[in-house]
Amino acid sequence: MKLVLLSGGSGKRLWPLSNDARSKQFLKVLQDDEQNMVSMVQRVWAQIGKNGLSDDSYIATSKSQIEIMLSQVGKDVPLIIEPERRDTFPAIALAATYLYSVQGVSLDETIAILPVDPYVEDHFFDTVKVLEGVLKKSGADLALIGVRPTYPSSKYGYIIPAEDPLSNEYATVSRFQEKPTEEEAEQLILKHALWNCGVFAFKLDYLISLLVKKEMPIHYEELMKQYHKLPKISFDYEVVENTKHIVAVPYDGYWKDLGTWNTLTEEMGSRQIGKGIISEDSSNTHLINEMDIPVTVLGVSNAVIAVSPDGILVTDKSSSPRIKDVVNFKQGPMYEEKQWGWCRILDIQTYADGNQVVTKKMNIKTGENLSYVLSTEKQEVWTIVKGEAEFIHNGNFMLIKEGNVLHIPAKTMHGLRAKSEVEFIAVQTGPVNGFEDTIEIYKEWTEIEQHCSK
């Protein structure tokens, strides 16, 4: 069996920490067994490893998430790259063609699809492992995992089985119901309904045959070329609701969707991350502060205060899901985590003559490098404030360290490799429309050394 973890989403419900460059699954607000701060994707990938599934697992993600994904789960994790976000049906179709035409996976192989951010106990993956056998025994086209509800929630979709799934290893699915009222959910639970946790499995042949019927390419490279034409539709609507023979495997354990601040803070190991003070009479209040300025919370209960370079959120926990309807998300991300480190925008100034000045703080991890690039429009000044690095400018190598100031005119090639952890302030100046003109010449430092003389 092959596992494909879906990593997408813009993370709008967890603003201001999440944004287009750092979705909710990348926020390091959870704790692992050693009390280290980890993200949802790091937590679930570690669980997959504990359960012996990592050698057969892939992560399907968008092009914009490659850097942060590699930074958090490592460079050896196999990624299936979407050229753009187009919902779960196109993502799963692309993954299926990758496994079939690039990896040479047998059409008889079982493919299990999981979200990348479930908050589950380790034994949840024992249930994932039985999906392959259930497909074979039942002869079904799809096998789903349904979570035994612990209360009548209106936040989740429900799987309504034709019989009580506790009386067997699996149950035939009668129908689905999306986010009922709490009163309707109570009635559904009496009918042995299960929460739909977005986990399902199928034979690779089932989906490849479906793509053939839809006259869609079944080879990865061809589907990549036509990806922009695919409908933006979920796998549930496009495939699951049109599949006749579906079974569900019950999971009787802890499961939670950490998609909003009120649910996420319930699983945080600490009430406070970052600088600040929460007064003793501020009960059930959480502070998450990514800035260097302290935040003081006095006498405010049942609240979330989240602070990042993108903005500040102060919300009652019960109101936090409404953030997606309130905040204007047109501003680009002010903080990005990269494979090589991180970048934080400190200031943006636009002037009447059409020029813009952007000030950034950059952090490069030891041994990592920035690509060898050229900008046709903007010039830069770097002030090194920490560490030592190898710097290359128009083919010339030099050693730089704390206190050095580097002037990089437009139309000149440059790159950097950190010998120790490096931080510098970069002031970029150029026309407003000239900040997207960067041309990457070489990405890896070995390439740079090969083509540039020392």
Side-chain angles (χ1 to χ4, degrees):
M1 181 171 67
K2 305 296 183 186
L3 269 64
V4 176
L5 279 72
L6 297 183
S7 175
S10 58
K12 292 178 178 179
R13 289 188 179 88
L14 292 176
W15 183 90
L17 267 65
S18 62
N19 52 42
D20 283 338
R22 183 175 56 156
S23 303
K24 68 175 183 178
Q25 61 266 32
F26 300 113
L27 303 181
K28 294 182 180 179
V29 294
L30 304 174
Q31 290 182 339
D32 63 13
D33 295 338
E34 285 76 42
Q35 307 305 306
N36 298 312
M37 302 305 295
V38 295
S39 66
M40 301 179 204
V41 68
Q42 288 174 317
R43 184 177 187 275
V44 76
W45 190 256
Q47 289 178 308
I48 283 173
K50 286 181 195 174
N51 282 272
L53 297 169
S54 56
D55 287 345
D56 292 304
S57 296
Y58 301 78
I59 299 179
T61 189
S62 63
K63 190 163 59 173
S64 63
Q65 292 183 354
I66 295 174
E67 290 275 353
I68 191 169
M69 186 67 76
L70 293 174
S71 171
Q72 292 204 357
V73 296
K75 298 178 182 179
D76 297 330
V77 175
L79 303 181
I80 303 171
I81 309 301
E82 292 179 89
E84 60 181 274
R85 292 175 181 158
R86 299 199 71 80
D87 217 324
T88 54
F89 169 66
I92 293 168
L94 189 69
T97 62
Y98 179 84
L99 295 174
Y100 171 65
S101 66
V102 177
Q103 294 295 306
V105 173
S106 167
L107 288 171
D108 196 46
E109 186 82 67
T110 297
I111 311 300
I113 307 293
L114 290 81
V116 79
D117 53 4
Y119 193 85
V120 293
E121 298 162 311
D122 288 349
H123 69 86
F124 176 82
F125 293 92
D126 292 334
T127 306
V128 173
K129 290 176 183 177
V130 307
L131 291 173
E132 183 172 24
V134 165
L135 273 178
K136 186 174 182 180
K137 289 178 191 174
S138 65
D141 297 315
L142 291 173
L144 284 61
I145 292 180
V147 177
R148 180 73 58 185
T150 53
Y151 65 99
S153 172
S154 60
K155 297 183 295 183
Y156 304 135
Y158 284 75
I159 302 167
I160 297 91
E163 65 274 355
D164 183 359
L166 276 186
S167 62
N168 204 340
E169 186 181 13
Y170 59 88
T172 303
V173 173
S174 172
R175 62 185 179 89
F176 300 91
Q177 183 156 341
E178 186 67 22
K179 295 181 180 179
T181 64
E182 289 187 10
E183 292 76 16
E184 290 171 331
E186 287 180 359
Q187 296 303 311
L188 291 174
I189 291 173
L190 292 175
K191 297 176 182 177
H192 312 293
L194 305 167
W195 285 337
N196 189 348
C197 63
V199 177
F200 42 84
F202 49 81
K203 294 287 187 184
L204 182 57
D205 182 58
Y206 179 70
L207 197 56
I208 294 297
S209 298
L210 189 65
L211 296 181
V212 171
K213 288 178 187 175
K214 293 179 178 292
E215 299 183 340
M216 294 170 60
I218 59 173
H219 289 86
Y220 177 73
E221 294 297 336
E222 287 301 314
L223 190 58
M224 281 278 281
K225 292 175 184 176
Q226 299 186 31
Y227 201 72
H228 64 285
K229 299 179 183 177
L230 269 58
K232 288 186 177 182
I233 190 169
S234 73
F235 190 84
D236 291 87
Y237 287 139
E238 183 70 10
V239 178
V240 178
E241 292 192 359
N242 296 307
T243 299
K244 291 188 171 67
H245 191 185
I246 306 175
V247 296
V249 178
Y251 168 67
D252 199 2
Y254 194 76
W255 172 86
K256 184 181 281 188
D257 177 11
L258 305 184
T260 59
W261 277 117
N262 55 337
T263 55
L264 179 59
T265 52
E266 289 173 358
E267 304 304 333
M268 286 173 54
S270 171
R271 291 179 62 199
Q272 180 177 330
I273 298 174
K275 287 186 178 180
I277 297 170
I278 304 176
S279 65
E280 291 185 5
D281 59 343
S282 298
S283 62
N284 192 31
T285 285
H286 284 75
L287 168 63
I288 305 95
N289 183 9
E290 290 191 326
M291 301 295 285
D292 290 331
I293 55 173
V295 176
T296 301
V297 184
L298 298 177
V300 180
S301 298
N302 303 311
V304 175
I305 297 91
V307 182
S308 88
D310 280 13
I312 299 171
L313 170 70
V314 180
T315 178
D316 179 86
K317 286 190 174 180
S318 62
S319 300
S320 65
R322 293 167 41 205
I323 190 169
K324 191 176 181 180
D325 304 321
V326 175
V327 176
N328 183 339
F329 294 96
K330 291 181 180 178
Q331 173 185 284
M334 303 291 281
Y335 175 87
E336 294 186 63
E337 186 176 333
K338 300 286 191 177
Q339 182 180 345
W340 42 258
W342 52 260
C343 169
R344 175 177 292 168
I345 295 178
L346 303 177
D347 185 61
I348 301 176
Q349 295 290 334
T350 305
Y351 297 93
D353 62 0
N355 277 329
Q356 189 175 70
V357 177
V358 178
T359 305
K360 300 179 177 179
K361 187 173 185 180
M362 311 278 286
N363 176 282
I364 319 298
K365 294 182 287 190
T366 302
E368 297 292 341
N369 72 276
L370 299 178
S371 299
Y372 194 45
V373 299
L374 176 147
S375 175
T376 60
E377 297 283 349
K378 67 177 183 286
Q379 58 180 317
E380 303 188 40
V381 177
W382 293 1
T383 302
I384 312 301
V385 296
K386 177 183 177 181
E388 294 185 354
E390 208 171 2
F391 178 68
I392 177 170
H393 188 221
N394 280 346
N396 298 311
F397 286 82
M398 66 187 80
L399 291 176
I400 59 172
K401 61 182 180 179
E402 179 181 330
N404 289 153
V405 178
L406 308 172
H407 294 265
I408 306 169
K411 300 184 176 68
T412 62
M413 299 172 287
H414 57 280
L416 177 149
R417 184 179 71 88
K419 299 187 74 172
S420 61
E421 184 181 19
V422 169
E423 287 188 3
F424 63 90
I425 305 298
V427 180
Q428 303 173 333
T429 306
V432 172
N433 59 1
F435 276 75
E436 302 300 325
D437 69 335
T438 301
I439 301 168
E440 184 177 72
I441 301 165
Y442 303 119
K443 184 177 180 67
E444 302 297 333
W445 196 254
T446 51
E447 290 182 298
I448 298 171
E449 290 183 320
Q450 181 182 349
H451 292 92
C452 303
S453 60
K454 281 194 173 186

